[in-house]
Structures are given as structure tokens and as C-alpha cells.
Amino acid sequence: MRKITVIGSMNMDLVANVDHMPKVGETIIGKSFEEIPGGKGANQAVAIARLGGQVHMIGKLGDDGFGKTLLEGLTKDKICVEGVKIETNTPSGVALITVSEEGDNSIIVVPGANFTLNKEDIDKNIQIIKESDFLVLQLEVPLDTVKYSLKCAKELGVYTVLNPAPAQKLDDMIIKNIDLLIPNETELEILTGIEINNEEDVLRASKNLIEKGVKSLIVTLGSKGSMYIDKKGFKKFQAHKVKAIDTTAAGDSFIGGVCVCLSEGKTIEEAIRYGSRVGALTVTKKGAQRSLPYKEEIEALKED
Ligand code: RIB
């Protein structure tokens, strides 16, 4: 089994379940409130661990109760947390999440300690990266840190995966160090400035990024499935059909599934099919890390 390192965010998700999303200026009464461990980085690490992957986490927590709970959760999931540091006098990251009756969500992330992760932290953990086969990143830690981590990883011959969420424009130095980019349609649109309305747009935008140096992409399309694109061509994949209760962390679990399969030497097609099943099972349960499935649950799921 090859090693995967995730550099990224850890948040406590403060989740309000509502009948409908409030409009601007509207006050509504929520149905329930929960605190659930989340953060795109931590979610992806937990997904990898529960699917049987060997994973290290690098990131920053605050010196508060949320930080303590988040760290305990990662340890319980058997994630190596040697690279997780506590930043004093700093709050942990939180995400304010509203989930509607239909399972849709809106998320505001307040990064706290996640935004203190800097190049020195990466240098201190360079041995972990060096001993990894895959490095997985998102954009909930400072962009300079992401850029530096990708550069270090490529110099060390580590395969890099970037989930560009929350989306922002990326400079060419970041783009050229990405082996596998996993955006959704909205993120692809923000990265390229190309409006995405159909499959042709997805291809045009993806080719634009490939010309700039990205080696390959998986564009996730929600209930429409996903598309894999590289220099040689493209392939479409169907979504596994389920009734969505809460879509929070569906993208994170898909990425976890893809990375675990790649770390086991499976093909990209096998990895995407597996990731889709993982994502599908995740949306049938509420919450981020709470909804992330275990390997046995995926094996028990009927193939499409
Ligand atoms: O991708 C879902 C995650 O986004 C949530 O867990 C929240 O913390 C935000 O980071």
C-alpha cells in the first residue's frame, strides 16, 4: 500500500438544518443544530483512512475545544497526525453550514488556525512528504502554502492531487505542478473564466488547463456523474443513483475514494467508479465526517 499525505483544513462544522434556505434579509427558524467534524482536508484524510488507505495529515488547529475534538477524531480514524500542529492563541477553523430539506447546502468557512499554515510548517514536515507517493491538497489553507507544497512534492517525485475548493484563480506555477486536478463545474468555471453549460464547455475549459500544464482532470458533475480528461482524450462516468439527504463532503469522499484506488495501483477508470460509489453513499447520510463510509460499506453496495 502506497502512502498518501493530505495537506489541508480541519474545521468544526456548525450545521443548521432548515426547511428552506433563507433569502437575503430573511430570518427563519431552524429545525436542528449540530457540531460535526469537517474541513475539506480532514474530510479527505478521513475518507482515505476509512477506505483502507495509509494517510498522514499536515495542518493547523487552534488551542480550543474544537481543536481537541478534531484531533481526537483524526486519531480515532487511525490517521497519522504527527504533522498536525496546535497554534496558540488562535481559534480552530469553523464552517457555518445550512442544509435544506432537499439536501442542498451553503457553507461559510472561517479559517482560523488553518490560515496560519505556512512554508516553515511544510519544511518541518518535508520528510513526511518525501516518504509519500501521493500529496492531496485543497484551497482552505493559504495559497502560497499550497503553491510551495506542490513545488516541493514535484521536486521529490510525489504525485500531486489538487481539489481547487473553494475556487480561486491559480497562477501558472501552481497549474504546472498538478498531476490530477479535481474541480466541480463551478470551480472549473472560476479557474478558467469559461462559462460551463454543457459537456463541450467542460472539455474546452479542461483543455485550456491541460495546455497550461495540468496533467489530467476529473471534473465532478454532481448527479450527472463525472468526466476524466487528459492529453489523449476524455471519458464520461455515470453517477451512482441514490436519494440525497445531505451533499456535504460528497466531493471530499469521492476524492478519498479515487486516491485510495490509485494508491492500490488501480486504473483511473476503476478509481473514478469507486469514488462515485463512495460519494453516493456519503450523500445518503447527514454531516461531513460522520457520513464518510467505510470500505466494507462500499463493498456491500450494489454495482451499477
Ligand atoms: O467539503 C465540505 C467541507 O467544506 C465541510 O466539512 C466544511 O468544513 C468545509 O470545509
Side-chain angles (χ1 to χ4, degrees), residues 9 11 13 37-40 43 95 97 107 109 140 248-249 252 288:
S9 59
N11 297 329
D13 291 352
K40 294 186 195 306
N43 294 346
I97 304 186
I107 305 181
V109 171
E140 284 184 348
T248 309
D252 298 330

Side-chain angles (χ1 to χ4, degrees), residues 27-262:
T27 300
I28 60 167
I29 302 289
K31 292 197 299 185
S32 60
F33 169 77
E34 288 178 288
E35 291 176 5
I36 305 173
K40 294 186 195 306
N43 294 346
Q44 292 173 21
V46 169
I48 292 166
R50 290 189 187 168
L51 297 168
Q54 200 185 333
V55 59
H56 280 261
M57 178 83 207
I58 296 176
K60 286 274 186 77
L61 289 166
D63 57 347
D64 51 16
F66 286 162
K68 200 165 167 274
T69 308
L70 292 168
L71 188 60
E72 278 169 8
L74 296 180
T75 311
K76 213 168 137 208
D77 268 306
K78 300 192 178 59
I79 293 166
C80 180
V81 292
E82 199 190 313
V84 175
K85 292 285 166 298
I86 309 288
E87 187 75 13
T88 49
N89 301 319
T90 309
S92 294
V94 292
L96 313 178
I97 304 186
T98 312
V99 182
S100 75
E101 195 86 313
E102 289 76 39
D104 296 324
N105 64 37
S106 75
I107 305 181
I108 300 171
V109 171
V110 184
N114 293 305
F115 263 24
T116 67
L117 188 76
N118 56 31
K119 293 179 190 175
E120 288 71 44
D121 296 310
I122 303 305
D123 287 340
K124 279 183 205 149
N125 290 297
I126 202 70
Q127 195 58 29
I128 296 177
I129 300 172
K130 198 172 176 179
E131 287 166 8
S132 303
D133 301 285
F134 297 86
L135 182 69
V136 183
L137 295 127
Q138 319 74 31
L139 300 179
E140 284 184 348
V141 296
L143 197 58
D144 271 354
T145 310
V146 171
K147 186 172 176 174
Y148 184 66
S149 306
L150 285 167
K151 178 177 161 283
C152 293
K154 281 328 297 167
E155 284 169 3
L156 294 166
V158 178
Y159 184 92
T160 57
V161 179
L162 178 69
N163 169 219
Q168 53 178 296
K169 289 259 183 209
L170 301 177
D171 70 36
D172 291 354
M173 286 306 289
I174 294 188
I175 299 269
K176 78 177 182 66
N177 285 326
I178 304 169
D179 289 313
L180 177 59
L181 184 73
I182 313 186
N184 63 20
E185 291 156 285
T186 316
E187 289 151 6
L188 185 63
E189 189 166 309
I190 294 171
L191 291 184
T192 59
I194 296 173
E195 205 181 301
I196 310 288
N197 294 312
N198 51 42
E199 207 178 275
E200 282 70 43
D201 296 335
V202 171
L203 284 175
R204 197 155 54 89
S206 301
K207 280 181 187 151
N208 173 288
L209 292 170
I210 288 174
E211 274 158 25
K212 288 186 176 159
V214 171
K215 310 290 174 303
S216 60
L217 294 96
I218 302 170
V219 182
T220 56
L221 307 167
S223 59
K224 295 190 286 307
S226 59
M227 277 172 84
Y228 174 75
I229 307 107
D230 65 14
K231 241 186 216 153
K232 290 188 240 142
F234 75 97
K235 191 162 181 171
K236 288 196 296 181
F237 295 84
Q238 282 189 345
H240 198 94
K241 288 190 182 48
V242 284
K243 170 147 177 38
I245 303 283
D246 178 1
T247 55
T248 309
D252 298 330
S253 69
F254 173 84
I255 292 164
V258 167
C259 291
V260 167
C261 279
L262 294 179

